[in-house]
Amino acid sequence: MPFANTYATAARRPERIFDMEMRALKIVGVLMMLSAGCTQPGVYGGEVGDDDSIHCDPSSGFCFRVDSLSASCRAQSWVARTERSSCPDGVDGLAGRWNLRPERSVSVGESSYCRYEWTSDSGRTPDADALRALSAREPIRDLQPNCEVVIASATIDTTWPALERSFFEQTEQVEALPEANGPAKPVRVEIIDSAVTRRHEDGEPSFGQMAHGRAMGLIVRNLACPSGGSCRAEVASTLALPLVDTPMGAVRDEVNGGHFGSMTDLADAVNDAVSAWRSTAADQRLVVNLSLGWDPMYGGEYAEGPNDLTAPVRSVWEAIARARCLGAAVVAAAGNRVEGPDVTGGALYPAAWANKSAPSLKTCHSLGVTSVSDDFSPEQPLVFAVGGLEPNDADLALGRPDSRPSPVAPAAHAVVSDPTPEQHSVMQTGTSVAAAVASAAAAVVWSYR
């Protein structure tokens, strides 16, 4: 198994890691160049719209598409990109108003991403023409609907002790990890997902309305911090999926988390996680785990640079690029197969950006990073995509068509212990699991260097 052998080597004989070339480490690609340094979202394969374009089971996280593109890019929420330091005010429309949401608008380098949301006392359909007219009067470079983000598919089972043993056998989990020699510290692993934002020294993953985010954090913690010995990862959580679908439309719940989120919610989460890391734990390394993504039909491909990306997509690209400039490793799930109309192939974004290079030094400077990390190299990929394996090492049956990256990790029937009355995590199957396993393996090996 490409990542497991290296994980086991690091766990049992960490001194050998220092004699290995990182390029030779087959640890889901995440570790290929960590010695020099180290998508929009839904790891199920699409987004959720206000008219239930994706149906999600809140307990398991299993999602499937029931409608098409327009349902997943909400007409009530738009994003404008401007190269000014401030955003244009909102504008009146027919029987309603487009309100600027300054608390959800953000500046990254030379770009400002301005968010406008439609309100109408009479329930009037959003007047997109009024907002487009604003872009004709103001220096707005791009104006697009804000598409949404969901988590990967997942399943549930109650035979968790046997499943946990099987999962640990697949991942070659060890009973205890040795202490590192010298000043090496545990690596922070940010789970950007459905769990509410929490960063505590105990490294305990947080909770959310959907179990997916906590399950990913528990996978990382159980693999990188087995009982006894050393803990080589500090797990933190940042909420990227704050929206809950209701008969009145999407409602934001920052306190309990939601079932899906927008592309700009994902961008905010990455930026917030990186900023928290830099302000509180800059002496640690950072792995950003993205067990979520969006279907390629909603954008993400570019030729020479990100200038061709829509504003919501570009906001995610810039957040990830900034994280890479600062030395973080970004691990993304390739995505799972779904049924329904408009099903496409290929990896989800951000994972599909694994075939793109990390930003240039010039781009890092434009994103406000004047001094790049020693862990960064523009020759590395922008993200490290991870595909899934069945217990017999075959490709994950749930994987998306034409989406398998060369780095792969176990992805089936993952359930681990949880220090709660339930005693175990909700069982998960999908490339979300593979990404979490890869992030844990990356943290373990990186922490010994």
Side-chain angles (χ1 to χ4, degrees):
M1 218 168 287
F3 80 95
N5 293 335
T6 303
Y7 168 80
T9 298
R12 297 186 179 94
R13 296 188 60 191
E15 70 277 4
R16 286 191 58 192
I17 297 300
F18 292 90
D19 299 326
M20 291 176 164
E21 281 293 330
M22 269 305 184
R23 290 180 181 272
L25 294 180
K26 297 180 179 178
I27 191 164
V28 298
V30 177
L31 303 173
M32 287 173 58
M33 294 160 118
L34 286 184
S35 58
C38 169
T39 333
Q40 272 170 339
V43 176
Y44 81 93
E47 288 76 52
V48 179
D50 287 345
D51 57 352
D52 295 329
S53 63
I54 297 297
H55 172 74
C56 290
D57 174 9
S59 60
S60 71
F62 181 77
C63 301
F64 59 92
R65 192 201 321 272
V66 296
D67 205 346
S68 60
L69 171 64
S70 61
S72 295
C73 299
R74 297 188 298 130
Q76 295 91 339
S77 176
W78 285 59
V79 181
R81 182 175 71 87
T82 177
E83 294 180 354
R84 298 198 319 182
S85 59
S86 61
C87 294
D89 292 334
V91 62
D92 291 326
L94 186 61
R97 178 173 175 79
W98 288 102
N99 293 306
L100 172 67
R101 302 302 300 269
E103 75 279 9
R104 296 182 196 154
S105 299
V106 63
S107 294
V108 179
E110 299 173 353
S111 297
S112 292
Y113 293 93
C114 311
R115 306 184 199 187
Y116 298 91
E117 294 186 4
W118 174 258
T119 58
S120 173
D121 293 339
S122 62
R124 180 82 181 193
T125 300
D127 182 2
D129 289 338
L131 197 58
R132 293 191 184 98
L134 174 66
S135 67
R137 300 192 303 269
E138 300 286 348
I140 292 175
R141 300 298 298 272
D142 189 22
L143 180 67
Q144 299 289 339
N146 200 4
C147 299
E148 293 161 357
V149 177
V150 300
I151 57 105
S153 303
T155 52
I156 305 175
D157 202 284
T158 57
T159 58
W160 74 270
L163 288 168
E164 182 183 48
R165 289 193 298 271
S166 175
F167 181 64
F168 285 160
E169 288 176 2
Q170 295 173 58
T171 57
E172 297 188 15
Q173 188 222 33
V174 296
E175 294 183 358
L177 291 169
E179 296 291 341
N181 296 323
K185 291 188 174 183
V187 172
R188 175 176 286 194
V189 180
E190 277 280 358
I191 307 297
I192 296 182
D193 210 288
S194 63
V196 297
T197 300
R198 181 173 186 252
R199 301 181 184 93
H200 287 269
E201 293 181 359
D202 63 4
E204 180 70 20
S206 63
F207 295 86
Q209 284 197 54
M210 183 174 282
H212 186 267
R214 180 169 175 83
M216 297 304 106
L218 288 170
I219 289 171
V220 173
R221 185 164 175 82
N222 275 271
L223 290 176
C225 303
S227 58
S230 176
C231 178
R232 305 314 305 160
E234 175 188 291
V235 177
S237 304
T238 301
L239 179 63
L241 308 177
L243 300 178
V244 180
D245 209 13
T246 74
M248 300 301 294
V251 175
R252 182 175 294 269
D253 189 344
E254 302 279 359
V255 175
N256 301 302
H259 301 154
F260 61 99
S262 69
M263 292 176 178
T264 49
D265 288 326
L266 176 57
D268 283 352
V270 174
N271 283 322
D272 290 348
V274 171
S275 295
W277 163 58
R278 297 293 294 172
S279 63
T280 63
D283 57 340
Q284 291 179 280
R285 284 164 163 160
L286 175 67
V287 175
V288 176
N289 184 87
L290 302 177
S291 289
L292 40 70
W294 69 89
D295 194 291
M297 74 164 67
Y298 302 104
E301 180 56 34
Y302 59 89
E304 300 299 327
N307 291 334
D308 294 336
L309 299 177
T310 64
V313 176
R314 181 164 172 165
S315 71
V316 179
W317 185 94
E318 290 190 350
I320 291 174
R322 175 173 172 268
R324 300 289 285 112
C325 295
L326 292 169
V330 180
V331 181
N336 301 333
R337 183 190 302 270
V338 294
E339 303 299 331
D342 302 326
V343 172
T344 62
L348 301 178
Y349 286 95
W353 284 328
N355 64 357
K356 302 297 185 183
S357 297
S360 65
L361 292 176
K362 180 179 179 181
T363 300
C364 288
H365 294 161
S366 73
L367 295 173
V369 182
T370 56
S371 179
V372 300
S373 168
D374 291 339
D375 289 328
F376 167 76
S377 170
E379 296 178 358
Q380 299 171 7
L382 181 63
V383 301
F384 297 97
V386 187
L389 291 176
E390 299 283 354
N392 63 357
D393 285 358
D395 287 351
L396 184 69
L398 189 60
R400 287 171 59 81
D402 305 319
S403 69
R404 185 189 188 277
S406 57
V408 290
H413 310 128
V415 60
V416 294
S417 300
D418 185 352
T420 61
E422 288 75 19
Q423 297 185 313
H424 63 87
S425 66
V426 172
M427 192 185 80
Q428 307 281 338
T429 289
T431 58
S432 284
V433 174
V437 172
S439 293
V444 169
V445 178
W446 211 2
S447 73
Y448 288 118
R449 295 188 63 84

